[in-house]
């Protein structure tokens, strides 16, 4: 699903697959283990996704989680919900890249 996002590419980082837009990671698989993925949301987006599906979404540990990095429990997430999270994460990364130019 991540590769359906225009300009998204798959790479690898820390021995697990990741997905990038404009050279920046917006999602990954296999962290903390094979049952989970990660999306880079804003803290506000993270709260909204956790509120909608607390059994699926949880903050990543530490500072990354406080900044919006969100784990996704792959076995329980609906395709439409993970699609929305991936879209939001890709847009967040693309916007941050534009702001930093």
């Amino acid at each position: 699903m991540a590769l359906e996002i225009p300009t998204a590419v798959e790479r690898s980082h820390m021995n697990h697959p990741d997905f990038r837009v404009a050279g920046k990671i917006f999602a990954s698989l296999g962290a903390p283990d094979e049952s989970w993925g990660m999306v880079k949301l804003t803290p506000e987006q993270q709260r909204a996704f956790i509120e909608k599906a607390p059994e699926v979404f949880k903050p990543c540990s530490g500072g990354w989680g406080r900044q919006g990095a969100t784990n996704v429990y792959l076995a329980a997430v609906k395709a439409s919900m993970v699609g929305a999270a991936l879209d939001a994460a890709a847009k967040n990364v693309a916007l941050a890249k534009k702001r930093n130019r």
Side-chain angles (χ1 to χ4, degrees):
M1 289 182 76
L3 292 175
E4 293 174 4
I5 294 170
T7 75
V9 296
E10 182 177 348
R11 297 283 187 267
S12 180
H13 177 73
M14 308 263 309
N15 298 318
H16 55 83
D18 65 48
F19 303 92
R20 301 170 188 234
V21 170
K24 296 289 187 183
I25 297 171
F26 70 91
S28 65
L29 291 171
D33 64 41
E34 298 301 316
S35 300
W36 294 87
M38 183 281 304
V39 289
K40 282 189 178 177
L41 302 173
T42 66
E44 296 79 18
Q45 291 167 334
Q46 180 188 71
R47 282 190 289 278
F49 276 97
I50 290 171
E51 193 173 290
K52 287 179 190 170
E55 70 286 357
V56 173
F57 296 97
K58 71 174 190 167
C60 292
S61 62
W64 288 103
R66 287 188 297 276
Q67 293 175 18
T70 306
N71 286 123
V72 182
Y73 185 54
L74 301 172
V77 70
K78 293 180 181 174
S80 61
M81 191 165 280
V82 77
L86 287 167
D87 286 342
K91 287 175 185 167
N92 293 340
V93 168
L95 287 173
K97 181 78 173 178
K98 284 182 181 179
R99 283 192 298 261
N100 292 330
R101 284 187 180 169

